Amino acid sequence: MPETFKVELDTPAYKGSVSCNTGLFINGKFVDAVEGGTIDVINPSTGKLLTKVAAATSKDVDIAVAAAKKAYKTSWGLKVPGAQRGELLMKLATLLEANIDEFAALECLNVGKPWSESRGFDMKLTLQTLKYYAGWADKVHGHTIETNEQKLAYTRHEPYGVVGQIIPWNYPLTMVSWKIGPALATGNVVVLKPSEITPLTALKFASLVQEAGFPPGASLESNVSPSGATAGTAISMHPDIRKIAFTGSTLTGRKIQEASAKSNLKVVTLELGGKSPNIIFDDADLDQAVKWAAIGIFSNSGQVCTAGSRIYVQEGIYDAFIKAFSEAAAGLNTKTGDPFSEGTIHGPVVSQTQFDRVMSHIDAAKAEGAIPFIGGERHSLTEGFFVKPTIFTNCTPDMKIVQEEVFGPVAAVVKFKTEDEAIEMANDTNYGLACAVFTENVSRAVRVSNALEAGMAWVNCNITTEYNVPFGGYKQSGYGRELGAYAIDTYTQVKAVHINVGLKI
Amino acid sequence: MPATFSHHFDTPLYNEKATIQTGLFINGVFVDGLNHSTIDVINPSTGKTITQVSEGTAKDVDRAVEAARNAFNTSWGLKVPGATRGQFLYKLATLMEESLDEIAAIESLDNGTAFGVVKGWVVPFSIGLIRYYAGWADKISGQVIETDEGRLTYTRHEPIGVVGQIIPWNAPLLMFAMKIAPALAAGNTIVIKPSELTPLSALRVCSLVQEAGFPPGVLNVVVGYGNTVGSAISSHMDIDKIAFTGSTLTGRKVMEAASKSNLKNITLELGGKSPNIIFNDADVDQAVNWACHGIFFAQGQICFAGSRIYVQSGIYDEFLAKFTARSKMHKIGDPFGADSYQGPQISSTQTERVMGYIKSGVDQGAKVHLGGQRHGEQNGNFITPTIFTNTTPDMKIVQEEIFGPVSVVIKFEDQQDVIQQANDTIYGLAAAVFTQNITQAFEVGHALKAGTVWVNCYNEVSAAVPFGGFKQSGIGREYGSYALEHYVNVKAMHINIGHKME
């Protein structure tokens, strides 16, 4: 029997216990991994061990998929009316809402993100997303198509069956909701692999899935082995998984797509990395632009796929912008620390590995001649993985700091003269996830956002994701869309039915 | 302060207490009508008064509209995100579910439909409707339309504003839910008039609307008569849209008033004389069961009742015998009786009207094959399930909507002929086809001029599937996403970003 992780907290932000099961959640129950392995889960604010959780291997994935298949044929899929699937999802949301503070606290412990972000953003978006998809479950429509009166032609939008989902560590619980919301609403059954770095809120969520009364096997989560390779590979190669949805690095995304090609050509959707441009024109509201630029790159310590990490500033306001922006960044240094402390706004990056990666990007930038206008080093806090908010100036397009995704609180600022120049530099990337434009001119706002090659564009704001607006990338940032009505299409396959009405040959 | 009505039920099927506020519900509170008059609410099973409720008049409609307009401009409409509107509706549904039995009992007492049916289907379905539209509230989207790169062209689907709704007495709670849910989900505020014959379940739900925390003025309920409150709503200059369900006769008046006042947007769900066509190759036993359900459910007081039953000659005798036997099995009696199926007609007026149609059938030479009489007390409201045969197409009982447990069974030979007979009506609300043959099923179904066609079933409705009439059965659709189209105003935005005018 898997153990329960439990800890008592007494902090300004949260007082009470925080707990979750540490097993794999398969077929409606928590179980140990077949091969008995475990993974260490670390608190990034302290660098210390929080708990161990079960490590799944391909054997566990096989069991999970078999259970999912069975559930799909008997107690889920189109065997159950959409309204009923929706009611279960709404029940799940209601249970989460009743325990939201504890979930927020658990997320803070595991990810290091400040309470204000965890409770104020992650949890809120998670609840909105679950409730939203609960409402879609009985609204999945095909079409009837007029051909001629001797044919009844219509489409069914059917679920795939067993879908595999692999999610990252930057917004653990929110990512669960983005994935299972539309998948379950449309009648699929799920085998979900949380990140091995941040499995705790997903595991706690699985208890709610149990409590809500989902049929066993309908929504399954299995934890993953240390490298992610074993269970993740098993899912991407599995012959009975009909579709896989992955959010994570472009590097791993390629492996997922390759695995699909080598196995059963399962349908793939990918949400990958980004190096999103934030273009600030002379006529921008400077004060607002600074605030949004900071949100765009320093939120979640820059560990956001849509982070506005390349900031293009028109020469007319460049000096004023840099001054104000660096003041905003510097201000975060005194608000850095433990997620539960009052006033903490800036947290650690999620792990030692990530910390090393971010620091090496910073070192490479310096080596290539970019100037660390502010930051560019570890925070004075010795415990945990804290990187100071960092702004590089004097950047040129070919520098690594301008080309490669850092996934940390590091901005590269580039000066520009003309609109065309900015658009060209902004599009000069293999990525295409998001972009932002700051201008008070309506024509320019629409014209420039039209011209940028990205799946999401923000005008006079940045990274404000709405649960009902589609989310996804162009180019090597991925394909397929999450959120909004578009995710319903992502999780259904179309069958066209042609019924002959009276045509004799 | 208006009164509270409390009733202690003491019946085989329900014996708890129910409490209802009897005032008008305006701006989030229960108030007496400005005229301080009342309406007697009659129990159709006994003819006795259940309680009085406040009577609204045109001046009450005015203050309700004012409250609704205020709410639309400040605390509803696009002032709150769709998800918030949805959350209020979800909460209301949950509260209704917690009081399900009580609401069912109130409805059954007021309307006469069997308690088992109301508790087992009507109330759960109504709750399901509210949940269904709760889910739509944050999913209303317009289009972005490619014109050229010098323009951004898109549509907004905005709530219309203050909507007036007038609903009938045959399924009061269901009518209430199906009207308020899409209107509120889309962001409108409401002034709704339940039937003066059956206001009680709506008033009970108003207390739950209060408890759910809807901002005051979002939903206003004004009980009153058609020629006062109904008329005031239809002609109100500050009501932007009206939705009416009821008779075709009254529907014309509503449309006329709308056109004479401010050309308010209008949708109508009116009467029907729906054909139920049963072919030789039908599963006869199933056809019999569905046909009974189609005409005798809710005492035949259903707008889409399958009141004209066309039976192909090859199975006519078998069908008629089985249909007759099955109809005799219905237990008629008090709605709270242990195995009551059919209750009373809604009022003595309606009962007399139905009896009048039966008499006209006899007078015009049709044969009463079954029933044709009152059941029980001769001045009560119970009517025996009635089957007419040997009719001709021009008879009143074949042409006009009776709205009672009265069916006409007509023999036919030929598929083309029966389609023509079925379509030979000013109505077009629903129709049904019973056949096992795939081609016949679709060919006939597609040829029938009706807003709903059932194949091998009857009376099947779903929150997600549109419902409404062709021809004089109405305008517009309810249920499904289609209902939302009637509760939004489309605004096209053309943003010029590059074209210069010389």
Side-chain angles (χ1 to χ4, degrees):
Chain A
M1 270 298 288
E3 302 200 345
T4 300
F5 160 67
K6 187 169 175 179
V7 78
E8 289 295 324
L9 294 179
D10 184 8
T11 73
Y14 181 81
K15 291 182 191 349
S17 69
V18 160
S19 68
C20 68
N21 197 295
T22 61
L24 310 178
F25 183 67
I26 297 182
N27 209 20
K29 296 193 295 290
F30 287 97
V31 294
D32 292 312
V34 166
E35 297 190 67
T38 60
I39 302 162
D40 286 352
V41 182
I42 308 291
N43 178 342
S45 303
T46 62
K48 298 196 170 48
L49 181 75
L50 277 171
T51 184
K52 292 178 192 297
V53 297
T57 62
S58 59
K59 291 191 162 66
D60 303 290
V61 171
D62 284 341
I63 297 171
V65 173
K69 257 181 94 172
K70 185 152 175 252
Y72 184 68
K73 285 194 159 70
T74 56
S75 59
W76 200 246
L78 300 175
K79 302 281 181 213
V80 173
Q84 225 172 295
R85 302 194 300 263
E87 271 189 55
L88 275 170
L89 275 168
M90 190 54 88
K91 179 100 202 270
L92 190 53
T94 306
L95 288 170
L96 176 62
E97 196 156 19
N99 293 286
I100 198 75
D101 286 352
E102 192 186 339
F103 272 87
L106 188 58
E107 198 81 304
C108 287
L109 270 182
N110 201 176
V111 186
K113 65 174 77 199
W115 177 259
S116 58
E117 285 210 35
S118 177
R119 182 66 181 86
F121 176 76
D122 291 45
M123 296 301 121
K124 195 164 151 228
L125 185 54
T126 302
L127 273 174
Q128 285 173 331
T129 303
L130 286 171
K131 289 178 183 177
Y132 176 76
Y133 285 107
W136 264 119
D138 58 356
K139 300 173 177 66
V140 182
H141 302 154
H143 302 281
T144 55
I145 299 144
E146 192 184 319
T147 51
N148 61 74
E149 277 299 274
Q150 290 184 303
K151 175 172 282 196
L152 167 60
Y154 63 91
T155 57
R156 284 168 60 88
H157 290 198
E158 301 181 347
Y160 282 97
V162 183
V163 313
Q165 304 182 315
I166 300 175
I167 56 175
W169 44 258
N170 57 343
Y171 292 91
L173 188 65
T174 310
M175 290 289 114
V176 171
S177 68
W178 286 23
K179 290 282 186 288
I180 71 156
L184 294 177
T186 48
N188 297 281
V189 290
V190 168
V191 176
L192 176 126
K193 185 195 96 55
S195 165
E196 66 275 17
I197 305 173
T198 56
L200 301 185
T201 45
L203 285 168
K204 190 171 180 60
F205 190 73
S207 308
L208 300 186
V209 170
Q210 216 178 21
E211 200 183 327
F214 277 82
S219 165
L220 306 183
E221 297 167 34
S222 57
N223 217 345
V224 71
S225 72
S227 66
T230 312
T233 306
I235 290 172
S236 43
M237 292 292 291
H238 207 288
D240 288 337
I241 290 181
R242 296 284 173 82
K243 180 216 159 59
I244 186 164
F246 170 81
T247 299
S249 70
T250 299
L251 191 74
T252 310
R254 287 178 184 282
K255 292 185 194 161
I256 303 273
Q257 191 166 319
E258 201 182 325
S260 164
K262 287 183 168 159
S263 60
N264 64 344
L265 278 175
K266 56 176 63 59
V267 179
V268 179
T269 49
L270 302 172
E271 298 282 353
L272 307 176
K275 191 73 186 185
S276 302
N278 178 0
I279 306 176
I280 303 173
F281 288 92
D282 283 347
D283 72 343
D285 178 329
L286 179 67
D287 177 65
Q288 287 294 297
V290 167
K291 289 181 166 138
W292 283 110
I295 285 172
I297 186 53
F298 300 132
S299 292
N300 211 31
S301 295
Q303 301 169 118
V304 186
C305 45
T306 51
S309 48
R310 289 182 290 150
I311 306 178
Y312 294 93
V313 187
Q314 205 165 24
E315 54 185 6
I317 55 157
Y318 182 86
D319 292 337
F321 176 84
I322 286 290
K323 179 168 184 290
F325 186 40
S326 61
E327 276 165 18
L332 290 174
N333 285 324
T334 54
K335 301 185 176 125
T336 300
D338 168 85
F340 299 100
S341 302
E342 263 185 72
T344 299
I345 299 180
H346 185 71
V349 295
V350 82
S351 65
Q352 183 68 58
T353 307
Q354 281 303 114
F355 178 85
D356 294 340
R357 203 173 266 161
V358 173
M359 292 312 296
S360 84
H361 275 286
I362 288 173
D363 292 340
K366 290 173 185 171
E368 282 186 304
I371 297 168
F373 196 87
I374 192 160
E377 58 187 3
R378 185 181 205 137
H379 194 274
S380 55
L381 284 170
T382 47
E383 273 193 348
F385 316 120
F386 294 89
V387 179
K388 282 185 173 173
T390 299
I391 300 170
F392 277 103
T393 56
N394 204 44
C395 301
T396 55
D398 51 297
M399 289 180 180
K400 281 174 67 163
I401 196 67
V402 176
Q403 287 295 325
E404 294 180 24
E405 187 179 37
V406 175
F407 226 66
V410 182
V413 183
V414 176
K415 192 189 291 190
F416 74 90
K417 277 184 163 50
T418 69
E419 182 183 302
D420 285 346
E421 184 194 347
I423 291 170
E424 199 185 323
M425 286 199 285
N427 286 337
D428 182 22
T429 166
N430 288 327
Y431 292 114
L433 190 54
C435 61
V437 181
F438 283 81
T439 174
E440 295 289 281
N441 181 284
V442 62
S443 297
R444 168 174 283 152
V446 176
R447 193 171 60 235
V448 174
S449 54
N450 283 359
L452 292 170
E453 292 162 359
M456 292 167 284
W458 278 289
V459 177
N460 294 334
C461 55
N462 210 352
I463 70 168
T464 47
T465 296
E466 309 289 339
Y467 63 89
N468 58 356
V469 177
F471 184 103
Y474 281 19
K475 303 185 333 193
Q476 292 183 34
S477 286
Y479 49 85
R481 289 293 174 270
E482 299 196 273
L483 299 188
Y486 291 73
I488 300 296
D489 289 339
T490 300
Y491 283 97
T492 50
Q493 44 186 355
V494 177
K495 172 189 291 168
V497 183
H498 302 245
I499 300 188
N500 181 354
V501 180
L503 177 68
K504 301 246 179 279
I505 58 168
Chain B
M1 270 302 290
T4 304
F5 164 63
S6 274
H7 181 80
H8 202 109
F9 287 85
D10 184 15
T11 79
L13 295 180
Y14 188 75
N15 52 13
E16 308 278 334
K17 188 169 142 199
T19 304
I20 307 166
Q21 300 277 355
T22 59
L24 311 177
F25 185 64
I26 297 180
N27 209 25
V29 291
F30 290 93
V31 294
D32 208 6
L34 286 167
N35 213 30
H36 301 292
S37 49
T38 59
I39 295 175
D40 288 347
V41 182
I42 310 292
N43 179 344
S45 305
T46 62
K48 295 193 170 45
T49 303
I50 301 172
T51 183
Q52 277 85 32
V53 295
S54 296
E55 179 192 355
T57 58
K59 283 196 160 29
D60 296 300
V61 171
D62 285 339
R63 54 179 178 149
V65 172
E66 196 185 326
R69 178 63 63 194
N70 227 337
F72 184 73
N73 288 338
T74 57
S75 60
W76 202 247
L78 298 175
K79 302 292 181 200
V80 291
T84 302
R85 304 194 299 262
Q87 284 315 302
F88 281 117
L89 285 166
Y90 277 122
K91 183 83 210 254
L92 179 61
T94 302
L95 290 172
M96 285 172 71
E97 202 162 52
E98 287 165 10
S99 297
L100 200 154
D101 288 12
E102 186 197 341
I103 294 172
I106 290 165
E107 179 90 327
S108 209
L109 181 70
D110 198 0
N111 156 267
T113 298
F115 177 72
V117 169
V118 179
K119 174 179 160 168
W121 187 79
V122 177
V123 182
F125 184 75
S126 306
I127 293 170
L129 265 170
I130 293 175
R131 283 206 168 110
Y132 175 79
Y133 283 106
W136 267 121
D138 59 354
K139 299 173 179 64
I140 296 176
S141 60
Q143 298 180 12
V144 176
I145 300 144
E146 190 186 323
T147 50
D148 66 65
E149 283 297 271
R151 286 180 232 283
L152 169 62
T153 349
Y154 63 94
T155 58
R156 284 166 60 88
H157 288 202
E158 304 182 347
I160 301 178
V162 177
V163 313
Q165 304 181 317
I166 300 174
I167 54 176
W169 43 257
N170 61 339
L173 181 73
L174 200 162
M175 291 288 141
F176 189 73
M178 78 191 277
K179 286 281 185 290
I180 70 167
L184 293 176
N188 302 280
T189 55
I190 297 174
V191 176
I192 182 167
K193 182 192 104 52
S195 166
E196 66 278 12
L197 297 178
T198 54
L200 299 184
S201 57
L203 290 172
R204 179 72 186 89
V205 172
C206 286
S207 297
L208 302 178
V209 168
Q210 238 178 1
E211 198 183 327
F214 280 82
V218 169
L219 175 64
N220 304 279
V221 177
V222 181
V223 179
Y225 293 101
N227 58 6
T228 52
V229 172
S231 182
I233 290 174
S234 319
S235 10
H236 207 284
M237 294 302 287
D238 202 26
I239 287 180
D240 301 306
K241 180 234 159 55
I242 187 161
F244 170 82
T245 297
S247 69
T248 297
L249 191 73
T250 310
R252 289 177 183 282
K253 292 186 195 161
V254 171
M255 195 171 187
E256 200 181 327
S259 62
K260 284 181 170 163
S261 55
N262 62 347
L263 274 175
K264 52 175 66 58
N265 186 319
I266 177 160
T267 50
L268 304 170
E269 296 284 350
L270 306 175
K273 190 73 184 185
S274 302
N276 182 357
I277 304 173
I278 304 172
F279 287 93
N280 285 338
D281 74 334
D283 177 334
V284 175
D285 292 334
Q286 279 295 292
V288 164
N289 290 348
W290 287 106
C292 276
H293 184 49
I295 183 54
F296 298 126
F297 180 71
Q299 298 74 251
Q301 298 174 143
I302 300 280
C303 44
F304 46 83
S307 46
R308 289 183 291 150
I309 304 173
Y310 294 90
V311 187
Q312 206 166 22
S313 59
I315 54 157
Y316 180 87
D317 293 334
E318 185 193 351
F319 176 86
L320 186 59
K322 287 178 170 173
F323 181 50
T324 306
R326 182 80 171 69
S327 306
K328 282 184 187 166
M329 281 166 55
H330 293 155
K331 181 146 183 291
I332 307 170
D334 181 270
F336 292 92
D339 39 318
S340 287
Y341 173 81
Q342 182 178 322
Q345 309 307 116
I346 191 62
S347 64
S348 51
T349 308
Q350 276 301 116
T351 305
E352 275 154 32
R353 223 166 139 247
V354 175
M355 294 311 297
Y357 273 109
I358 291 173
K359 182 170 185 303
S360 86
V362 171
D363 290 348
Q364 289 188 306
K367 176 171 174 234
V368 178
H369 185 82
L370 178 73
Q373 305 157 346
R374 288 180 193 249
H375 170 87
E377 281 184 30
Q378 284 312 294
N379 58 357
N381 296 327
F382 294 86
I383 299 178
T384 57
T386 299
I387 300 173
F388 275 103
T389 56
N390 288 29
T391 60
T392 53
D394 54 296
M395 288 181 181
K396 282 177 70 163
I397 56 171
V398 179
Q399 286 294 323
E400 296 181 26
E401 185 179 39
I402 299 173
F403 226 65
V406 179
S407 59
V408 301
V409 179
I410 299 167
K411 190 189 292 191
F412 76 92
E413 205 56 67
D414 170 62
Q415 188 200 84
Q416 285 312 305
D417 173 52
V418 75
I419 290 171
Q420 210 248 334
Q421 284 191 60
N423 286 338
D424 181 23
T425 165
I426 59 168
Y427 293 113
L429 192 51
V433 182
F434 283 81
T435 176
Q436 308 276 52
N437 179 274
I438 184 174
T439 299
Q440 183 157 254
F442 290 122
E443 270 183 351
V444 178
H446 291 176
L448 292 168
K449 296 195 166 84
T452 292
V453 175
W454 288 295
V455 178
N456 295 331
C457 57
Y458 209 94
N459 278 356
E460 297 282 276
V461 289
S462 158
V465 181
F467 177 88
F470 282 31
K471 304 192 293 191
Q472 293 187 37
S473 286
I475 295 171
R477 290 294 175 270
E478 300 193 271
Y479 293 159
S481 61
Y482 292 74
L484 296 170
E485 291 169 23
H486 300 295
Y487 284 103
V488 297
N489 250 339
V490 176
K491 173 187 291 167
M493 300 284 299
H494 300 247
I495 316 281
N496 182 2
I497 61 162
H499 290 279
K500 301 250 179 277
M501 176 61 82
E502 297 302 324

